[in-house]
Amino acid sequence: MRLSSLIVGTLLFSVAAHAEDARQRQAREELERQLKMMVGTPPTKIRVTFVGLDEPNIKVVEASFELDGSSLPSPPLSKLGDEGELPIFVGDIEPGEHVLVSKLVLENTASPVLVAEGGMKWPLQLNVKFNALPGIEVAYQIKPSQNPQATDAKQRFTMTAPHNLRMLAKLDDG
């Protein structure tokens, strides 16, 4: 008798737990529906820019940029050597996981007779995995930079990709 009442109690508790989960799910779906009505369904975007080096003897001699294995249009190499920010790609993407790959080859154009690193090349590669969310624009700045603490000449340059997020949706708070 005691065992059967324990089983009945367990069954009632499990039914109550499932009912609570259903209520939580229903509340979540209602909240998502209301938020979608307020916001709409804005696109998911990516913005990729390149920030040139401020080094007169260092030139970009090779460059490629890929998003999820597809090549992005690359500006002329002469423009990649300019100071300031240069747009690479702006466009819509699907929400979810993505991979941005940047490959550069930098070259010291100074004469090897005058400078020890003259004529030296530095291949750089950066792989960035990110999750794009609906209604958000993610902006990456591809930035090669000099590493003054590097004792090995092969590690003199590095590349980073700091990013910013911007909400594209406009809330109608009525």
Side-chain angles (χ1 to χ4, degrees), residues 17-68:
H18 286 305
E20 187 175 44
D21 288 341
R23 281 194 305 250
Q24 288 175 344
R25 182 182 50 78
Q26 185 178 12
R28 179 183 48 79
E29 288 173 353
E30 176 64 20
L31 183 62
E32 287 174 357
R33 186 187 64 75
Q34 289 177 5
L35 184 61
K36 193 171 190 177
M37 284 177 41
M38 287 173 56
V39 175
T41 53
T44 303
K45 291 192 173 284
I46 186 168
R47 177 180 307 273
V48 180
T49 57
F50 181 83
V51 179
L53 275 168
D54 187 18
E55 297 287 330
N57 291 331
I58 304 299
K59 302 293 180 210
V60 178
V61 293
E62 292 179 35
S64 69
F65 305 95
E66 295 177 0
L67 181 62
D68 298 329

Side-chain angles (χ1 to χ4, degrees), residues 98-111:
H98 296 278
V99 178
L100 177 65
V101 178
S102 303
K103 297 176 186 175
L104 297 176
V105 176
L106 305 178
E107 180 180 16
N108 190 330
T109 58
S111 170

Side-chain angles (χ1 to χ4, degrees), residues 67-89:
L67 181 62
D68 298 329
S70 298
S71 292
L72 299 177
S74 182
L77 293 175
S78 60
K79 292 208 177 256
L80 289 177
D82 293 347
E83 211 177 311
E85 194 170 348
L86 182 69
I88 301 293
F89 178 76

Side-chain angles (χ1 to χ4, degrees), residues 5-18:
S5 61
L6 182 62
I7 293 172
V8 169
T10 304
L11 287 174
L12 287 175
F13 179 74
S14 106
V15 168
H18 286 305

